Amino acid sequence: MAFQLKFMVPLILLVSLSLVAPLIQAKDVNYCDKKADYDVKVSAVDITPYPVARGKPASFSISATTGTSISGGNLVIEVSYFGWHIHSETHDLCAETSCPVSIGDFVIAHSQDLPGYTPPGSYSLKMRLYDGNKHELTCIAFDFDIGFVSSVVDS
């Protein structure tokens, strides 16, 4: 019995992780200007859930590294759908991460509720990070999908 239990626990853990893994997606990060030497280097973008569900909260977690401390600034987000610019927003950096940002690794965390009428499909997001003097610290772009699930249908 102990022998069976010893092998069942890892199996249950593996099955559990395989059910959760599709809900989190790490996206490939592309810099806006591949030749630029940005002050902030982005290593990963994680999106939860994936694909993003219409009418439900989505979380974007951006892992980055800086060689200088950042006391404040803005995050500018632009969203495109099939190449058409459809949305822009600006956020205070200190509302998305702890300020001042110390030298080293940090995470920018942003959550957003998408309207239930958001069309499903593939989207592109461009994010620019500026310091308090409006100096561009980084600019990244990545694609993400919005699925067919909607809380409008659920209610």
Short mmCIF file of all heavy atoms in Angstrom, two decimals, residues 36-59:
data_model
loop_
_atom_site.label_atom_id
_atom_site.label_comp_id
_atom_site.label_asym_id
_atom_site.label_seq_id
_atom_site.Cartn_x
_atom_site.Cartn_y
_atom_site.Cartn_z
N ALA A 36 17.74 48.99 -29.91
CA ALA A 36 17.83 49.88 -28.75
C ALA A 36 18.41 49.14 -27.54
O ALA A 36 18.21 47.93 -27.38
CB ALA A 36 16.46 50.43 -28.40
N ASP A 37 19.11 49.87 -26.70
CA ASP A 37 19.63 49.33 -25.45
C ASP A 37 18.81 49.93 -24.32
O ASP A 37 19.17 50.93 -23.71
CB ASP A 37 21.12 49.69 -25.30
CG ASP A 37 21.72 49.06 -24.06
OD1 ASP A 37 21.19 48.03 -23.58
OD2 ASP A 37 22.73 49.60 -23.55
N TYR A 38 17.65 49.32 -24.07
CA TYR A 38 16.72 49.83 -23.07
C TYR A 38 17.30 49.70 -21.66
O TYR A 38 17.99 48.73 -21.36
CB TYR A 38 15.39 49.09 -23.14
CG TYR A 38 14.61 49.35 -24.42
CD1 TYR A 38 14.42 48.35 -25.35
CD2 TYR A 38 14.05 50.60 -24.68
CE1 TYR A 38 13.70 48.57 -26.51
CE2 TYR A 38 13.33 50.83 -25.83
CZ TYR A 38 13.16 49.81 -26.75
OH TYR A 38 12.43 50.03 -27.89
N ASP A 39 16.99 50.66 -20.80
CA ASP A 39 17.43 50.63 -19.41
C ASP A 39 16.75 49.52 -18.61
O ASP A 39 17.31 49.00 -17.66
CB ASP A 39 17.16 51.98 -18.73
CG ASP A 39 17.95 53.12 -19.35
OD1 ASP A 39 19.06 52.86 -19.87
OD2 ASP A 39 17.46 54.27 -19.33
N VAL A 40 15.52 49.18 -19.00
CA VAL A 40 14.78 48.10 -18.35
C VAL A 40 14.68 46.94 -19.33
O VAL A 40 14.23 47.11 -20.46
CB VAL A 40 13.38 48.58 -17.91
CG1 VAL A 40 12.53 47.41 -17.44
CG2 VAL A 40 13.49 49.63 -16.81
N LYS A 41 15.13 45.78 -18.89
CA LYS A 41 15.08 44.56 -19.69
C LYS A 41 13.92 43.69 -19.21
O LYS A 41 13.83 43.39 -18.02
CB LYS A 41 16.38 43.75 -19.56
CG LYS A 41 17.66 44.54 -19.76
CD LYS A 41 17.85 44.98 -21.18
CE LYS A 41 19.25 45.54 -21.37
NZ LYS A 41 19.31 46.85 -21.92
N VAL A 42 13.05 43.32 -20.12
CA VAL A 42 11.90 42.49 -19.79
C VAL A 42 12.24 41.04 -20.12
O VAL A 42 12.67 40.73 -21.23
CB VAL A 42 10.65 42.94 -20.56
CG1 VAL A 42 9.48 42.01 -20.30
CG2 VAL A 42 10.29 44.38 -20.17
N SER A 43 12.04 40.16 -19.14
CA SER A 43 12.37 38.74 -19.35
C SER A 43 11.15 37.89 -19.62
O SER A 43 11.27 36.83 -20.26
CB SER A 43 13.13 38.20 -18.14
OG SER A 43 12.36 38.36 -16.97
N ALA A 44 9.97 38.29 -19.15
CA ALA A 44 8.78 37.45 -19.35
C ALA A 44 7.50 38.25 -19.16
O ALA A 44 7.47 39.23 -18.41
CB ALA A 44 8.79 36.28 -18.38
N VAL A 45 6.47 37.79 -19.84
CA VAL A 45 5.11 38.29 -19.65
C VAL A 45 4.23 37.08 -19.43
O VAL A 45 4.18 36.19 -20.27
CB VAL A 45 4.61 39.10 -20.87
CG1 VAL A 45 3.15 39.50 -20.69
CG2 VAL A 45 5.48 40.33 -21.12
N ASP A 46 3.57 37.03 -18.28
CA ASP A 46 2.65 35.94 -17.96
C ASP A 46 1.23 36.49 -17.95
O ASP A 46 0.97 37.54 -17.35
CB ASP A 46 2.97 35.32 -16.60
CG ASP A 46 4.33 34.64 -16.58
OD1 ASP A 46 4.65 33.96 -17.57
OD2 ASP A 46 5.05 34.79 -15.59
N ILE A 47 0.32 35.77 -18.61
CA ILE A 47 -1.08 36.19 -18.71
C ILE A 47 -1.94 35.11 -18.07
O ILE A 47 -1.81 33.93 -18.40
CB ILE A 47 -1.47 36.39 -20.18
CG1 ILE A 47 -0.55 37.40 -20.85
CG2 ILE A 47 -2.93 36.83 -20.27
CD1 ILE A 47 -0.72 37.49 -22.35
N THR A 48 -2.84 35.54 -17.17
CA THR A 48 -3.73 34.62 -16.47
C THR A 48 -5.15 35.18 -16.51
O THR A 48 -5.33 36.33 -16.18
CB THR A 48 -3.32 34.45 -15.00
OG1 THR A 48 -1.93 34.15 -14.94
CG2 THR A 48 -4.10 33.37 -14.32
N PRO A 49 -6.18 34.45 -16.89
CA PRO A 49 -6.13 33.14 -17.51
C PRO A 49 -5.74 33.28 -18.98
O PRO A 49 -5.74 34.38 -19.53
CB PRO A 49 -7.56 32.63 -17.39
CG PRO A 49 -8.39 33.88 -17.47
CD PRO A 49 -7.56 34.94 -16.78
N TYR A 50 -5.42 32.17 -19.61
CA TYR A 50 -5.11 32.21 -21.04
C TYR A 50 -5.86 31.10 -21.74
O TYR A 50 -5.76 29.96 -21.32
CB TYR A 50 -3.60 32.06 -21.28
CG TYR A 50 -3.26 32.54 -22.67
CD1 TYR A 50 -3.05 33.88 -22.92
CD2 TYR A 50 -3.22 31.65 -23.73
CE1 TYR A 50 -2.78 34.33 -24.21
CE2 TYR A 50 -2.95 32.10 -25.01
CZ TYR A 50 -2.74 33.43 -25.24
OH TYR A 50 -2.50 33.89 -26.50
N PRO A 51 -6.62 31.41 -22.79
CA PRO A 51 -6.82 32.75 -23.32
C PRO A 51 -7.63 33.61 -22.35
O PRO A 51 -8.32 33.10 -21.48
CB PRO A 51 -7.58 32.52 -24.62
CG PRO A 51 -8.26 31.20 -24.45
CD PRO A 51 -7.39 30.40 -23.54
N VAL A 52 -7.52 34.91 -22.53
CA VAL A 52 -8.26 35.87 -21.71
C VAL A 52 -9.75 35.67 -21.98
O VAL A 52 -10.15 35.45 -23.12
CB VAL A 52 -7.81 37.31 -22.06
CG1 VAL A 52 -8.65 38.33 -21.33
CG2 VAL A 52 -6.33 37.49 -21.73
N ALA A 53 -10.56 35.74 -20.92
CA ALA A 53 -12.01 35.55 -21.06
C ALA A 53 -12.70 36.91 -21.08
O ALA A 53 -12.43 37.77 -20.25
CB ALA A 53 -12.54 34.71 -19.90
N ARG A 54 -13.59 37.07 -22.04
CA ARG A 54 -14.35 38.32 -22.14
C ARG A 54 -15.24 38.48 -20.90
O ARG A 54 -15.82 37.54 -20.41
CB ARG A 54 -15.24 38.30 -23.38
CG ARG A 54 -14.45 38.15 -24.65
CD ARG A 54 -15.32 38.11 -25.89
NE ARG A 54 -16.21 36.97 -25.86
CZ ARG A 54 -17.43 36.98 -26.39
NH1 ARG A 54 -17.89 38.06 -26.98
NH2 ARG A 54 -18.19 35.92 -26.35
N GLY A 55 -15.31 39.71 -20.38
CA GLY A 55 -16.16 40.00 -19.24
C GLY A 55 -15.62 39.52 -17.91
O GLY A 55 -16.32 39.57 -16.91
N LYS A 56 -14.38 39.05 -17.90
CA LYS A 56 -13.78 38.54 -16.66
C LYS A 56 -12.40 39.17 -16.47
O LYS A 56 -11.79 39.63 -17.43
CB LYS A 56 -13.67 37.02 -16.73
CG LYS A 56 -15.04 36.38 -16.84
CD LYS A 56 -15.00 34.90 -16.69
CE LYS A 56 -16.42 34.38 -16.79
NZ LYS A 56 -16.55 32.98 -16.58
N PRO A 57 -11.89 39.20 -15.22
CA PRO A 57 -10.58 39.80 -14.99
C PRO A 57 -9.44 39.02 -15.63
O PRO A 57 -9.47 37.79 -15.67
CB PRO A 57 -10.44 39.81 -13.47
CG PRO A 57 -11.56 39.01 -12.92
CD PRO A 57 -12.54 38.74 -14.01
N ALA A 58 -8.49 39.76 -16.15
CA ALA A 58 -7.26 39.17 -16.71
C ALA A 58 -6.09 39.83 -16.01
O ALA A 58 -6.11 41.03 -15.72
CB ALA A 58 -7.19 39.42 -18.21
N SER A 59 -5.05 39.04 -15.72
CA SER A 59 -3.86 39.57 -15.06
C SER A 59 -2.65 39.43 -15.97
O SER A 59 -2.44 38.38 -16.57
CB SER A 59 -3.59 38.81 -13.75
OG SER A 59 -4.65 39.02 -12.85
#
